[in-house]
Amino acid sequence: DGGITQSPKYLFRKEGQNVTLSCEQNLNHDAMYWYRQDPGQGLRLIYYSQIVNDFQKGDIAEGYSVSREKKESFPLTVTSAQKNPTAFYLCASRDSSYEQYFGPGTRLTVT
Amino acid sequence: GEDVEQSLFLSVREGDSSVINCTYTDSSSTYLYWYKQEPGAGLQLLTYIFSNMDMKQDQRLTVLLNKKDKHLSLRIADTQTGDSAIYFCAEYGARTGNQFYFGTGTSLTVIP
């Protein structure tokens, strides 16, 4: 089956710890995206990558970092510098027809 | 960021039609999308329309685009309880660069 996987579905961390969220796709898409979703708000773009070894900041990149060493993988690290990290994180990829597909999401809770 | 606007809530009776509205920001946006999100899940692409089209129909879904007013709507015919979800519109185009901009989402509740 082709698709996007995110793991884990739920993640709990203590304040001050870095945490890495996994995103893998086997759709052979070049472009991948990370979004953050908070209650009552739309999706806000954290980082995106158009191609391997390249990525761009989105609207709310502060406190986050990414890497794109392989086409299939686009992990997101939430650092201790992110002031309000508790949120639902969504990874997506885009095909050449500009259709964007989403993973199931990871709910991160930081206490 | 960009402001793509949607009403927050909509309630309809089962069997009626639902119309979800969206006002987007960039008249040059090339693609306009509708996504569905069920609780605790990712977004599912329902349909999209190119900016050179006025209407697109796909089974129970009809998308209408008014480029002059930058208004996009999604009509769901014969709404079912399984249609209860949050619906997001999104735009993508020259001014947005390689980014998608999403509305705040409309929570649709279908009353049996």
Side-chain angles (χ1 to χ4, degrees):
Chain A
D1 281 336
I4 302 174
T5 56
Q6 291 185 243
S7 60
K9 189 165 177 64
Y10 299 96
L11 193 51
F12 298 88
R13 280 293 182 271
K14 295 285 190 190
E15 196 174 318
Q17 293 179 336
N18 291 355
V19 59
T20 297
L21 282 60
S22 166
C23 178
E24 304 280 330
Q25 55 103 355
N26 60 5
L27 301 168
N28 201 34
H29 292 169
D30 285 316
M32 296 186 74
Y33 303 78
W34 272 107
Y35 296 92
R36 172 185 171 131
Q37 185 177 26
D38 294 284
Q41 298 191 34
L43 277 65
R44 292 184 290 166
L45 182 66
I46 305 172
Y47 268 97
Y48 65 102
S49 169
Q50 296 296 307
I51 199 166
V52 174
N53 291 323
D54 183 62
F55 47 83
Q56 307 294 327
K57 291 182 180 180
D59 296 327
I60 56 163
E62 185 175 350
Y64 299 98
S65 66
V66 293
S67 62
R68 187 82 189 276
E69 297 175 2
K70 297 187 299 181
K71 190 175 188 177
E72 302 80 20
S73 179
F74 190 39
L76 173 75
T77 297
V78 184
T79 76
S80 56
Q82 167 50 232
K83 292 183 175 52
N84 186 18
T86 294
F88 189 49
Y89 290 88
L90 287 160
C91 178
S93 68
R94 175 181 64 75
D95 68 11
S96 56
S97 300
Y98 299 94
E99 295 183 21
Q100 191 176 53
Y101 297 90
F102 283 82
T106 292
R107 187 165 298 279
L108 173 65
T109 303
V110 177
T111 57
Chain B
E2 311 295 331
D3 289 331
V4 179
E5 297 184 349
Q6 298 179 241
S7 299
L8 287 181
F9 302 101
L10 176 65
S11 292
V12 299
R13 293 214 172 269
E14 190 173 15
D16 289 349
S17 292
S18 309
V19 179
I20 303 170
N21 295 301
C22 170
T23 302
Y24 60 98
T25 62
D26 183 10
S27 57
S28 67
S29 283
T30 308
Y31 303 91
L32 295 143
Y33 304 83
W34 283 105
Y35 289 87
K36 176 183 181 182
Q37 184 181 35
E38 297 187 6
L43 275 66
Q44 173 195 353
L45 177 63
L46 290 176
T47 187
Y48 66 100
I49 190 168
F50 295 109
S51 60
N52 62 357
M53 298 168 66
D54 296 322
M55 186 183 87
K56 180 179 180 182
Q57 185 154 5
D58 184 0
Q59 298 182 337
R60 291 192 297 124
L61 305 178
T62 302
V63 179
L64 294 178
L65 176 60
N66 179 331
K67 288 184 286 292
K68 175 176 170 290
D69 295 335
K70 290 184 281 187
H71 185 263
L72 182 73
S73 67
L74 174 70
R75 178 177 180 270
I76 305 173
D78 186 25
T79 313
Q80 303 297 307
T81 55
D83 295 324
S84 292
I86 300 177
Y87 291 80
F88 291 93
C89 65
E91 62 176 333
Y92 183 102
R95 194 164 71 93
T96 66
N98 293 312
Q99 302 183 29
F100 294 78
Y101 282 98
F102 288 81
T104 52
T106 298
S107 178
L108 173 65
T109 300
V110 181
I111 304 164

